[in-house]
Amino acid sequence: MKSYQWYSDQWGKPTKDDRLLFLLLTVGVFQAGLSWQAAASKRETFMRHFSEMDFRKVAAFFPDDVEKIMNDPEMIRNPRKIKAVIQNARAIVNLLEDYDSFADYLWDFFGGVPVLHQYETRDEVPNQLPEATVIAKDMKKRGFTFVGPVVTCMFLKAAGIIQDQVME
């Protein structure tokens, strides 16, 4: 099985699992400028370096943790992206002052129900949507980073919060 198959299997399936959401967001961060396959294939490396995707632990990382992660040849060694994952973990922790979970925050935008977009052909499926842009802006306001409209849209689709149905 290909190392990114888990991501294809997850794509579009609604989840409210905060660790999985943090992992999917992390893939989105690392995907910027790379293929989704390259980022998704690093799941085991992300799990190992980011405390099994426990965002509370990752939020407490220090600069020397970034150095340690950067020294792993299996890692996508981009310090800005590694720091973004830590910053996003901190932003999730801060969200918990207002929400019961990261999932509650995300799903609250849609009343807890997945949004379904229908298209005639695959070519019509966009990589940006207005609702994802609204969430990206809110996430940035709350301290998230590397969450532009495309990354956020793909993250929400991977998490099954936004779903595409193609008729062809």
Side-chain angles (χ1 to χ4, degrees):
M1 183 165 79
K2 292 189 168 75
S3 57
Y4 55 78
Q5 187 61 46
W6 71 273
Y7 191 76
S8 296
D9 293 345
Q10 167 54 48
W11 187 268
K13 290 187 182 133
T15 184
K16 294 188 177 179
D17 178 317
D18 276 0
R19 285 185 187 217
L20 178 55
L21 288 167
F22 183 42
L23 174 61
L24 294 172
L25 179 59
T26 297
V27 169
V29 165
F30 278 94
Q31 187 177 327
L34 300 172
S35 71
W36 66 266
Q37 293 98 330
S41 71
K42 298 297 182 182
R43 178 177 69 167
E44 297 310 317
T45 305
F46 295 154
M47 297 290 282
R48 187 171 65 250
H49 285 296
F50 298 121
S51 302
E52 299 297 313
M53 304 319 292
D54 183 335
F55 57 83
R56 286 175 182 87
K57 289 180 180 174
V58 175
F61 280 15
F62 289 102
D64 58 331
D65 292 304
V66 175
E67 280 303 311
K68 189 180 91 184
I69 295 167
M70 285 284 295
N71 288 329
D72 182 351
E74 290 180 31
M75 186 64 180
I76 297 169
R77 292 184 279 183
N78 181 320
R80 288 181 57 232
K81 291 179 179 183
I82 294 167
K83 289 174 186 170
V85 172
I86 297 165
Q87 179 58 40
N88 290 343
R90 292 175 180 154
I92 294 170
V93 169
N94 289 336
L95 271 180
L96 301 182
E97 294 172 14
D98 299 320
Y99 293 89
D100 290 336
S101 67
F102 184 33
D104 283 351
Y105 162 73
L106 294 167
W107 284 94
D108 195 46
F109 283 94
F110 304 104
V113 180
V115 174
L116 180 62
H117 291 280
Q118 295 183 316
Y119 304 98
E120 293 295 320
T121 66
R122 287 218 176 279
D123 293 340
E124 294 176 14
V125 178
N127 64 1
Q128 284 187 52
L129 289 165
E131 58 264 47
T133 302
V134 167
I135 294 171
K137 284 181 182 167
D138 192 73
M139 289 176 79
K140 282 183 182 174
K141 240 186 349 201
R142 292 174 178 273
F144 287 84
T145 187
F146 268 85
V147 288
V150 174
V151 166
T152 302
C153 188
M154 295 297 109
F155 162 58
L156 294 170
K157 287 181 178 192
I161 297 169
I162 295 176
Q163 299 180 7
D164 298 324
Q165 186 176 43
V166 180
M167 300 304 177
E168 65 182 2

